[in-house]
Amino acid sequence: MRNFILLFLLFGSIFASDFITKNEYAKMLYSNPRGIGCDKCHGKKGEGALIAKFKHFDKKSNKIVDGELKAPRINNLDFWKFSEALKRPKDVMPSYFLTDEETLLLYEYVKNFNDNKDKK
Ligand code: HEC
């Protein structure tokens, strides 16, 4: 009987639909997806950020020049561009294996920061 009650409690908590809210889930995905967090490169609010500065040899000018690696702003894109970037990442942008729903949640999450900024 005791085991039955424990089992009941366990399943109850797993299947409770309002276990975490959509926004909480999106926030978690943004800072801790199955891989390195988006915030590490794109900034807390998707505003874009400098990842690294480096020096490289420029063949044209025959000089050593400064270079920068930046993660672009991502809170002002349309959904198509956003999801394409996640499906077919370029450069140092890592590959993620997110479901369509997760991509949408992430998109809405970062877009929110843009709306807030524009209202002032
Ligand atoms: C290791 C750093 C890094 C991480 C982590 C990272 N990105 Fe990126 N991301 C980049 C860089 C650099 C680019 C620019 C690639 C290019 O076009 O040259 C980029 C491009 C993008 C673009 C396209 C922007 C545009 O204007 O076309 C989107 C959207 C994007 N990232 C979303 C995400 C999301 C969402 C996550 C987390 C799931 C994430 N990124 C994690 C570095 C990162």
Side-chain angles (χ1 to χ4, degrees):
M1 186 61 199
R2 217 200 198 160
N3 284 344
F4 179 75
I5 291 171
L6 271 177
L7 215 66
F8 183 76
L9 284 174
L10 187 72
F11 281 122
S13 61
I14 289 172
F15 293 117
S17 60
D18 55 355
F19 194 47
I20 59 171
T21 66
K22 274 192 167 179
N23 192 50
E24 279 166 344
Y25 183 54
K27 191 175 175 190
M28 192 195 78
L29 268 180
Y30 188 69
S31 59
N32 193 17
R34 292 180 289 278
I36 171 173
C38 323
D39 55 342
K40 305 284 183 304
C41 291
H42 292 281
K44 277 231 145 39
K45 299 180 174 178
E47 70 276 27
L50 181 68
I51 305 173
K53 281 190 172 186
F54 56 90
K55 294 197 186 289
H56 70 107
F57 185 75
D58 186 48
K59 280 182 190 157
K60 273 187 203 151
S61 62
N62 240 4
K63 274 186 201 155
I64 292 177
V65 292
D66 290 326
E68 281 183 346
L69 180 62
K70 280 183 182 163
R73 182 177 176 189
I74 55 166
N75 62 16
N76 59 348
L77 303 172
D78 59 51
F79 181 67
W80 192 82
K81 211 171 174 196
F82 187 88
S83 66
E84 275 303 298
L86 283 167
K87 279 182 200 146
R88 278 177 273 280
K90 285 186 257 164
D91 280 348
V92 295
M93 165 76 193
S95 300
Y96 292 94
F97 300 92
L98 302 167
T99 65
D100 289 344
E101 198 185 5
E102 285 169 335
T103 304
L104 186 63
L105 276 173
L106 273 174
Y107 176 71
E108 283 176 346
Y109 179 74
V110 291
K111 219 180 93 193
N112 255 337
F113 292 122
N114 189 24
D115 290 343
N116 294 345
K117 230 177 276 162
D118 288 347
K119 272 177 209 151
K120 278 189 185 148

